[in-house]
Amino acid sequence: MIQFQDAEADRALFEHALEFAEKQVASLIRLHPMYYPLYTQQGKWKHEGQAWTHWCDGFLPGMMWIFEARHNKASDEAKFWLENAIRYTEPLEPRKFDRDVHDLGFIFLSSYYRWYRLTREPRLNDVLIQAGRTLALRFQDKGQYLSSFVAANSLFIDIMMNVGIIFYAARETNDATLREIALRHCYTTRRYLVRGDGSTAHEGLFDLDTGEFLRQSTHQGWRGDSCWSRGLTWSLYGFTTAYEFSRDPHFLGTAQACADYYIAHTPAGGVPPWDFNAPLERRTQVDTSAAAIAAAGLLRLCRHVPDPAKGHFYWSTALRILETLARDYLAEGDPSWEGILKGGVYHIHKNLGVNESVMWGEYFFVEALDEALRRLQAAGVR
Ligand code: GLY
């Protein structure tokens, strides 16, 4: 159900933010052709800072596919974005065999999947299916999980955003083994990384010989027993996707538990600290990318919850988050800043991309703005 109060103001604010996003992406690709950035340094995309892991290449073309779809097909803008979306998506194809990362969902669902949805060309679907099969090779039979890029004994909450490509490949090929791998990974993650209060751990460590779960741990969060805010939002969004593919109500319940934890522990504007449990003096840094992912995830989750009042609550929370991001964190006031959203964090302990623009924050912000605008428009808000 759409709440109409302030909806017209939201529509204007979100359209303005999307126009700014288009302008920033157009300027990025003009300044640095065929460069796929991860995070800014003092607002600049090109620098020598390390990647840590190579997972963001789908997000830049992903935004271009979204921009393309927003314009009239015959317009110069649509042609510009289509041409560039293809130019930036095609080079990703060899990554369908990449066994070094757990991120093939991030890379291909943002790029090739959007391209395939537009054209329905079978060769594009084949790329998606291969990416799903490759990711499934990370399955650890003893612990029943897809291992993270750091080691075979490591399970990351982030992988919930990637397991969708295995569900997808399973559905497209009618492959029951692939589907079982995806389901088992979700059950293991739910059991060991999502806590009773809906908070999440970043990483779980297993004994490779026995498959026994040993303990919760972290790389990007404050501690193994804390709740790293971006991990929580990967879980919120990822379990919603798992529910969409499987219709298993446990996954819907888990996504809701994560959403409820997020809402209960985040300040009123909807932008969380980088870790909910970092000591007060270390908690002042927000992570706007977590907020953007939460908004995008809530916009999907709100469609599935059986209680209409709860669904409406998630919808209006998503709008509130987007309002805060578009009003208080847009880089618009700073002409030297190359990103869209300020206040993102990549890896605080390695000092990578702290209080900067981050590519996934940009992508999920654009996705959520686009989705919110589509629904407002469908509800007749002008
Ligand atoms: N590696 C995924 C993230 O930083 O959230």
Side-chain angles (χ1 to χ4, degrees), residues 52-53 55 102-103 106 149 156 158 202 220 228 230 234 345-346 360:
W52 187 45
T53 171
W55 63 289
H102 56 245
D103 303 299
F106 281 134
F149 81 102
F156 271 20
D158 323 25
H202 181 191
Q220 288 152 282
W228 171 50
R230 190 159 66 256
W234 290 146
V345 176
Y346 182 22
W360 56 95

Side-chain angles (χ1 to χ4, degrees), residues 43-165:
K44 306 287 183 219
W45 285 119
K46 195 140 195 188
H47 51 76
E48 298 305 312
Q50 57 162 296
W52 187 45
T53 171
H54 193 44
W55 63 289
C56 287
D57 294 1
F59 298 136
L60 184 55
M63 285 190 279
M64 298 180 195
W65 288 113
I66 295 171
F67 298 149
E68 185 276 334
R70 292 198 63 76
H71 289 286
N72 181 314
K73 290 285 167 224
S75 66
D76 288 346
E77 288 90 347
K79 285 182 201 144
F80 173 82
W81 288 121
L82 179 65
E83 199 181 298
N84 281 294
I86 294 173
R87 182 178 297 145
Y88 278 76
T89 297
E90 270 177 334
L92 308 185
E93 181 174 348
R95 305 275 317 264
K96 68 188 177 188
F97 295 119
D98 187 344
R99 295 192 61 182
D100 292 335
V101 298
H102 56 245
D103 303 299
L104 299 185
F106 281 134
I107 294 167
F108 287 96
L109 293 174
S110 52
S111 59
Y112 268 87
Y113 178 63
R114 291 187 182 277
W115 190 5
Y116 175 63
R117 254 190 352 198
L118 188 68
T119 65
R120 297 284 160 191
E121 283 176 72
R123 72 180 174 99
L124 304 177
N125 209 27
D126 291 346
V127 173
L128 291 161
I129 291 166
Q130 180 56 54
R133 289 195 171 124
T134 301
L135 184 62
L137 297 174
R138 303 191 78 79
F139 193 65
Q140 300 292 322
D141 209 30
K142 286 219 171 107
Q144 302 278 289
Y145 60 91
L146 300 158
S147 58
S148 83
F149 81 102
V150 297
N153 68 344
S154 155
L155 161 67
F156 271 20
I157 194 71
D158 323 25
I159 302 172
M160 281 309 302
M161 290 297 283
N162 294 285
V163 69
I165 199 155

Side-chain angles (χ1 to χ4, degrees), residues 79-366:
K79 285 182 201 144
F80 173 82
W81 288 121
L82 179 65
E83 199 181 298
N84 281 294
I86 294 173
R87 182 178 297 145
Y88 278 76
T89 297
E90 270 177 334
L92 308 185
E93 181 174 348
R95 305 275 317 264
K96 68 188 177 188
F97 295 119
D98 187 344
R99 295 192 61 182
D100 292 335
V101 298
H102 56 245
D103 303 299
L104 299 185
F106 281 134
I107 294 167
F108 287 96
L109 293 174
S110 52
S111 59
Y112 268 87
Y113 178 63
R114 291 187 182 277
W115 190 5
Y116 175 63
R117 254 190 352 198
L118 188 68
T119 65
R120 297 284 160 191
E121 283 176 72
R123 72 180 174 99
L124 304 177
N125 209 27
D126 291 346
V127 173
L128 291 161
I129 291 166
Q130 180 56 54
R133 289 195 171 124
T134 301
L135 184 62
L137 297 174
R138 303 191 78 79
F139 193 65
Q140 300 292 322
D141 209 30
K142 286 219 171 107
Q144 302 278 289
Y145 60 91
L146 300 158
S147 58
S148 83
F149 81 102
V150 297
N153 68 344
S154 155
L155 161 67
F156 271 20
I157 194 71
D158 323 25
I159 302 172
M160 281 309 302
M161 290 297 283
N162 294 285
V163 69
I165 199 155
I166 304 183
F167 277 119
Y168 179 80
R171 193 182 69 193
E172 292 299 296
T173 57
N174 213 10
D175 184 330
T177 308
L178 271 185
R179 182 179 158 84
E180 196 58 25
I181 284 175
L183 285 169
R184 282 169 191 255
H185 173 83
C186 296
Y187 286 129
T188 304
T189 304
R190 180 172 175 267
R191 178 166 180 175
Y192 297 120
L193 298 192
V194 185
R195 307 184 183 112
D197 62 357
S199 71
T200 50
H202 181 191
E203 185 185 37
L205 296 173
F206 290 78
D207 181 323
L208 280 180
D209 293 329
T210 61
E212 181 188 3
F213 174 70
L214 300 176
R215 66 189 167 87
Q216 297 182 344
S217 172
T218 194
H219 292 262
Q220 288 152 282
W222 171 248
R223 298 197 315 207
D225 63 350
S226 75
C227 182
W228 171 50
S229 59
R230 190 159 66 256
L232 178 74
T233 58
W234 290 146
S235 182
L236 184 175
Y237 193 131
F239 276 102
T240 303
T241 306
Y243 173 72
E244 286 171 351
F245 277 109
S246 66
R247 297 290 152 183
D248 183 327
H250 294 104
F251 299 154
L252 184 59
T254 303
Q256 280 195 242
C258 295
D260 293 344
Y261 184 93
Y262 183 92
I263 294 165
H265 292 84
T266 297
V271 179
W274 67 281
D275 188 297
F276 289 102
N277 307 115
L280 263 185
E281 69 280 8
R282 302 285 306 272
R283 215 188 296 160
T284 49
Q285 175 63 54
V286 294
D287 182 5
T288 53
S289 76
I293 298 156
L298 287 169
L299 287 174
R300 291 179 77 145
L301 179 60
C302 71
R303 291 196 302 234
H304 303 302
V305 291
D307 173 4
K310 193 80 196 234
H312 179 67
F313 177 55
Y314 289 156
W315 156 258
S316 52
T317 304
L319 293 195
R320 185 158 41 91
I321 296 171
L322 290 176
E323 284 161 15
T324 306
L325 293 177
R327 209 181 34 229
D328 301 339
Y329 290 96
L330 223 53
E332 206 175 20
D334 183 348
S336 68
W337 196 276
E338 294 174 0
I340 301 163
L341 262 191
K342 288 187 165 183
V345 176
Y346 182 22
H347 198 311
I348 212 159
H349 307 299
K350 290 182 184 285
N351 198 22
L352 304 177
V354 179
N355 204 20
E356 294 285 346
S357 294
V358 293
M359 213 11 101
W360 56 95
E362 316 279 74
Y363 172 77
F364 285 103
F365 182 49
V366 165

